[in-house]
PDB file of all heavy atoms in Angstrom:
ATOM      1  N   ARG M  46      94.378  89.556  13.830  1.00  0.00           N
ATOM      2  CA  ARG M  46      94.981  90.614  14.768  1.00  0.00           C
ATOM      3  C   ARG M  46      93.873  91.508  15.314  1.00  0.00           C
ATOM      4  O   ARG M  46      92.672  91.174  15.233  1.00  0.00           O
ATOM      5  CB  ARG M  46      95.992  91.450  13.917  1.00  0.00           C
ATOM      6  CG  ARG M  46      97.065  90.655  13.345  1.00  0.00           C
ATOM      7  CD  ARG M  46      98.099  90.298  14.465  1.00  0.00           C
ATOM      8  NE  ARG M  46      99.082  89.379  14.002  1.00  0.00           N
ATOM      9  CZ  ARG M  46     100.201  89.633  13.344  1.00  0.00           C
ATOM     10  NH1 ARG M  46     100.485  90.799  12.930  1.00  0.00           N
ATOM     11  NH2 ARG M  46     101.057  88.637  12.995  1.00  0.00           N
ATOM     12  N   ALA M  47      94.283  92.607  15.935  1.00  0.00           N
ATOM     13  CA  ALA M  47      93.211  93.497  16.641  1.00  0.00           C
ATOM     14  C   ALA M  47      92.290  94.066  15.587  1.00  0.00           C
ATOM     15  O   ALA M  47      92.363  93.907  14.393  1.00  0.00           O
ATOM     16  CB  ALA M  47      93.953  94.504  17.381  1.00  0.00           C
ATOM     17  N   GLY M  48      91.310  94.833  16.158  1.00  0.00           N
ATOM     18  CA  GLY M  48      90.273  95.284  15.305  1.00  0.00           C
ATOM     19  C   GLY M  48      89.692  96.680  15.637  1.00  0.00           C
ATOM     20  O   GLY M  48      88.571  96.915  15.415  1.00  0.00           O
ATOM     21  N   VAL M  49      90.508  97.575  16.147  1.00  0.00           N
ATOM     22  CA  VAL M  49      90.082  98.893  16.555  1.00  0.00           C
ATOM     23  C   VAL M  49      90.814  99.952  15.833  1.00  0.00           C
ATOM     24  O   VAL M  49      92.016 100.048  15.950  1.00  0.00           O
ATOM     25  CB  VAL M  49      90.192  99.163  18.021  1.00  0.00           C
ATOM     26  CG1 VAL M  49      89.663 100.589  18.496  1.00  0.00           C
ATOM     27  CG2 VAL M  49      89.422  98.132  18.933  1.00  0.00           C
ATOM     28  N   TRP M 187      98.183  86.417  25.935  1.00  0.00           N
ATOM     29  CA  TRP M 187      96.718  86.544  25.641  1.00  0.00           C
ATOM     30  C   TRP M 187      96.185  85.279  24.900  1.00  0.00           C
ATOM     31  O   TRP M 187      96.643  85.002  23.801  1.00  0.00           O
ATOM     32  CB  TRP M 187      96.423  87.749  24.812  1.00  0.00           C
ATOM     33  CG  TRP M 187      96.259  88.976  25.598  1.00  0.00           C
ATOM     34  CD1 TRP M 187      96.810  89.267  26.790  1.00  0.00           C
ATOM     35  CD2 TRP M 187      95.645  90.103  25.102  1.00  0.00           C
ATOM     36  NE1 TRP M 187      96.489  90.657  27.179  1.00  0.00           N
ATOM     37  CE2 TRP M 187      95.772  91.268  26.094  1.00  0.00           C
ATOM     38  CE3 TRP M 187      94.976  90.526  24.003  1.00  0.00           C
ATOM     39  CZ2 TRP M 187      95.253  92.474  25.960  1.00  0.00           C
ATOM     40  CZ3 TRP M 187      94.405  91.804  23.729  1.00  0.00           C
ATOM     41  CH2 TRP M 187      94.601  92.774  24.821  1.00  0.00           C
ATOM     42  N   LEU M 201      83.397  97.404  24.030  1.00  0.00           N
ATOM     43  CA  LEU M 201      84.370  96.540  24.544  1.00  0.00           C
ATOM     44  C   LEU M 201      84.410  96.591  26.053  1.00  0.00           C
ATOM     45  O   LEU M 201      84.021  97.645  26.632  1.00  0.00           O
ATOM     46  CB  LEU M 201      85.742  96.984  23.993  1.00  0.00           C
ATOM     47  CG  LEU M 201      86.166  96.333  22.671  1.00  0.00           C
ATOM     48  CD1 LEU M 201      85.158  96.592  21.630  1.00  0.00           C
ATOM     49  CD2 LEU M 201      87.556  96.762  22.271  1.00  0.00           C
ATOM     50  N   TYR M 203      87.254  95.940  29.209  1.00  0.00           N
ATOM     51  CA  TYR M 203      88.571  95.621  29.544  1.00  0.00           C
ATOM     52  C   TYR M 203      88.451  95.333  30.983  1.00  0.00           C
ATOM     53  O   TYR M 203      88.062  96.196  31.881  1.00  0.00           O
ATOM     54  CB  TYR M 203      89.558  96.797  29.444  1.00  0.00           C
ATOM     55  CG  TYR M 203      89.902  97.099  27.954  1.00  0.00           C
ATOM     56  CD1 TYR M 203      89.118  97.963  27.167  1.00  0.00           C
ATOM     57  CD2 TYR M 203      90.946  96.565  27.352  1.00  0.00           C
ATOM     58  CE1 TYR M 203      89.437  98.198  25.799  1.00  0.00           C
ATOM     59  CE2 TYR M 203      91.414  96.753  26.061  1.00  0.00           C
ATOM     60  CZ  TYR M 203      90.608  97.638  25.316  1.00  0.00           C
ATOM     61  OH  TYR M 203      90.848  97.947  23.957  1.00  0.00           O
ATOM     62  N   LEU M 212      89.349  90.434  28.084  1.00  0.00           N
ATOM     63  CA  LEU M 212      88.742  91.458  27.244  1.00  0.00           C
ATOM     64  C   LEU M 212      87.651  90.901  26.392  1.00  0.00           C
ATOM     65  O   LEU M 212      87.790  89.786  25.783  1.00  0.00           O
ATOM     66  CB  LEU M 212      89.939  91.966  26.249  1.00  0.00           C
ATOM     67  CG  LEU M 212      89.513  92.831  24.997  1.00  0.00           C
ATOM     68  CD1 LEU M 212      88.867  94.137  25.495  1.00  0.00           C
ATOM     69  CD2 LEU M 212      90.753  93.111  24.269  1.00  0.00           C
ATOM     70  N   SER M 214      85.622  91.692  23.184  1.00  0.00           N
ATOM     71  CA  SER M 214      85.630  92.588  21.911  1.00  0.00           C
ATOM     72  C   SER M 214      84.730  91.907  20.909  1.00  0.00           C
ATOM     73  O   SER M 214      83.950  90.895  21.240  1.00  0.00           O
ATOM     74  CB  SER M 214      87.081  92.680  21.421  1.00  0.00           C
ATOM     75  OG  SER M 214      87.077  93.577  20.246  1.00  0.00           O
ATOM     76  N   MET M 215      84.773  92.422  19.799  1.00  0.00           N
ATOM     77  CA  MET M 215      83.847  91.836  18.733  1.00  0.00           C
ATOM     78  C   MET M 215      84.395  92.149  17.270  1.00  0.00           C
ATOM     79  O   MET M 215      85.354  92.933  17.118  1.00  0.00           O
ATOM     80  CB  MET M 215      82.481  92.535  18.861  1.00  0.00           C
ATOM     81  CG  MET M 215      82.559  93.974  18.591  1.00  0.00           C
ATOM     82  SD  MET M 215      81.054  94.880  19.123  1.00  0.00           S
ATOM     83  CE  MET M 215      81.229  94.877  20.840  1.00  0.00           C
ATOM     84  N   ARG M 216      83.798  91.420  16.352  1.00  0.00           N
ATOM     85  CA  ARG M 216      84.127  91.707  14.986  1.00  0.00           C
ATOM     86  C   ARG M 216      82.901  92.291  14.239  1.00  0.00           C
ATOM     87  O   ARG M 216      83.037  92.958  13.241  1.00  0.00           O
ATOM     88  CB  ARG M 216      84.700  90.457  14.177  1.00  0.00           C
ATOM     89  CG  ARG M 216      86.053  90.023  14.673  1.00  0.00           C
ATOM     90  CD  ARG M 216      87.070  91.029  14.079  1.00  0.00           C
ATOM     91  NE  ARG M 216      88.411  90.812  14.637  1.00  0.00           N
ATOM     92  CZ  ARG M 216      88.928  91.321  15.801  1.00  0.00           C
ATOM     93  NH1 ARG M 216      88.158  92.157  16.495  1.00  0.00           N
ATOM     94  NH2 ARG M 216      90.070  90.899  16.198  1.00  0.00           N
ATOM     95  N   ARG M 222      84.870  88.493  19.863  1.00  0.00           N
ATOM     96  CA  ARG M 222      86.302  88.275  19.993  1.00  0.00           C
ATOM     97  C   ARG M 222      86.548  88.399  21.505  1.00  0.00           C
ATOM     98  O   ARG M 222      86.290  89.396  22.046  1.00  0.00           O
ATOM     99  CB  ARG M 222      87.115  89.271  19.168  1.00  0.00           C
ATOM    100  CG  ARG M 222      88.524  89.263  19.310  1.00  0.00           C
ATOM    101  CD  ARG M 222      89.169  88.039  18.563  1.00  0.00           C
ATOM    102  NE  ARG M 222      90.640  88.138  18.325  1.00  0.00           N
ATOM    103  CZ  ARG M 222      91.374  87.090  18.447  1.00  0.00           C
ATOM    104  NH1 ARG M 222      90.944  85.891  18.604  1.00  0.00           N
ATOM    105  NH2 ARG M 222      92.705  87.157  18.268  1.00  0.00           N
ATOM    106  N   TYR M 224      89.307  87.532  24.917  1.00  0.00           N
ATOM    107  CA  TYR M 224      90.654  87.180  25.373  1.00  0.00           C
ATOM    108  C   TYR M 224      90.683  86.940  26.918  1.00  0.00           C
ATOM    109  O   TYR M 224      90.014  87.684  27.557  1.00  0.00           O
ATOM    110  CB  TYR M 224      91.633  88.296  25.027  1.00  0.00           C
ATOM    111  CG  TYR M 224      91.813  88.725  23.697  1.00  0.00           C
ATOM    112  CD1 TYR M 224      91.136  89.719  23.069  1.00  0.00           C
ATOM    113  CD2 TYR M 224      92.764  88.068  22.788  1.00  0.00           C
ATOM    114  CE1 TYR M 224      91.248  90.113  21.745  1.00  0.00           C
ATOM    115  CE2 TYR M 224      92.960  88.510  21.537  1.00  0.00           C
ATOM    116  CZ  TYR M 224      92.179  89.534  21.033  1.00  0.00           C
ATOM    117  OH  TYR M 224      92.394  89.925  19.675  1.00  0.00           O
ATOM    118  N   PRO M 294      98.996  94.335  23.093  1.00  0.00           N
ATOM    119  CA  PRO M 294      97.684  94.731  22.349  1.00  0.00           C
ATOM    120  C   PRO M 294      96.716  95.472  23.135  1.00  0.00           C
ATOM    121  O   PRO M 294      95.724  95.887  22.529  1.00  0.00           O
ATOM    122  CB  PRO M 294      97.196  93.305  22.043  1.00  0.00           C
ATOM    123  CG  PRO M 294      97.851  92.380  22.993  1.00  0.00           C
ATOM    124  CD  PRO M 294      99.172  92.923  23.378  1.00  0.00           C
ATOM    125  N   THR M 295      96.907  95.628  24.533  1.00  0.00           N
ATOM    126  CA  THR M 295      95.980  96.378  25.262  1.00  0.00           C
ATOM    127  C   THR M 295      95.848  97.752  24.718  1.00  0.00           C
ATOM    128  O   THR M 295      96.841  98.563  24.890  1.00  0.00           O
ATOM    129  CB  THR M 295      96.460  96.375  26.762  1.00  0.00           C
ATOM    130  OG1 THR M 295      97.273  95.218  27.100  1.00  0.00           O
ATOM    131  CG2 THR M 295      95.289  96.540  27.726  1.00  0.00           C
ATOM    132  N   GLY M 296      94.730  98.142  24.214  1.00  0.00           N
ATOM    133  CA  GLY M 296      94.425  99.454  23.570  1.00  0.00           C
ATOM    134  C   GLY M 296      94.607  99.405  22.092  1.00  0.00           C
ATOM    135  O   GLY M 296      94.303 100.433  21.386  1.00  0.00           O
ATOM    136  N   ALA M 297      95.042  98.287  21.422  1.00  0.00           N
ATOM    137  CA  ALA M 297      94.935  98.029  20.006  1.00  0.00           C
ATOM    138  C   ALA M 297      95.692  99.131  19.199  1.00  0.00           C
ATOM    139  O   ALA M 297      95.146  99.624  18.248  1.00  0.00           O
ATOM    140  CB  ALA M 297      93.462  98.029  19.647  1.00  0.00           C
ATOM    141  N   TYR M 386      93.248 106.578  23.722  1.00  0.00           N
ATOM    142  CA  TYR M 386      92.579 105.535  23.250  1.00  0.00           C
ATOM    143  C   TYR M 386      92.114 105.822  21.714  1.00  0.00           C
ATOM    144  O   TYR M 386      92.319 105.024  20.804  1.00  0.00           O
ATOM    145  CB  TYR M 386      91.424 105.066  24.040  1.00  0.00           C
ATOM    146  CG  TYR M 386      90.921 103.614  23.705  1.00  0.00           C
ATOM    147  CD1 TYR M 386      91.349 102.426  24.390  1.00  0.00           C
ATOM    148  CD2 TYR M 386      90.129 103.443  22.654  1.00  0.00           C
ATOM    149  CE1 TYR M 386      90.910 101.250  24.022  1.00  0.00           C
ATOM    150  CE2 TYR M 386      89.621 102.148  22.302  1.00  0.00           C
ATOM    151  CZ  TYR M 386      90.074 101.101  23.001  1.00  0.00           C
ATOM    152  OH  TYR M 386      89.677  99.776  22.592  1.00  0.00           O
TER     153      TYR M 386
HETATM  154  C1  PHB O   2      90.428  92.821  19.274  1.00  0.00           C
HETATM  155  O1  PHB O   2      89.261  93.071  18.922  1.00  0.00           O
HETATM  156  O2  PHB O   2      90.995  91.928  18.765  1.00  0.00           O
HETATM  157  C2  PHB O   2      91.059  93.766  20.163  1.00  0.00           C
HETATM  158  C3  PHB O   2      90.378  94.951  20.618  1.00  0.00           C
HETATM  159  C4  PHB O   2      90.822  95.771  21.521  1.00  0.00           C
HETATM  160  C5  PHB O   2      92.180  95.493  21.946  1.00  0.00           C
HETATM  161  C6  PHB O   2      92.896  94.383  21.547  1.00  0.00           C
HETATM  162  C7  PHB O   2      92.317  93.563  20.668  1.00  0.00           C
HETATM  163  O3  PHB O   2      92.776  96.334  22.908  1.00  0.00           O
END
Side-chain angles (χ1 to χ4, degrees):
R46 299 283 167 84
V49 180
W187 274 21
L201 272 56
Y203 289 88
L212 169 60
S214 180
M215 65 194 71
R216 287 291 173 270
R222 176 74 168 145
Y224 299 93
T295 331
Y386 195 96

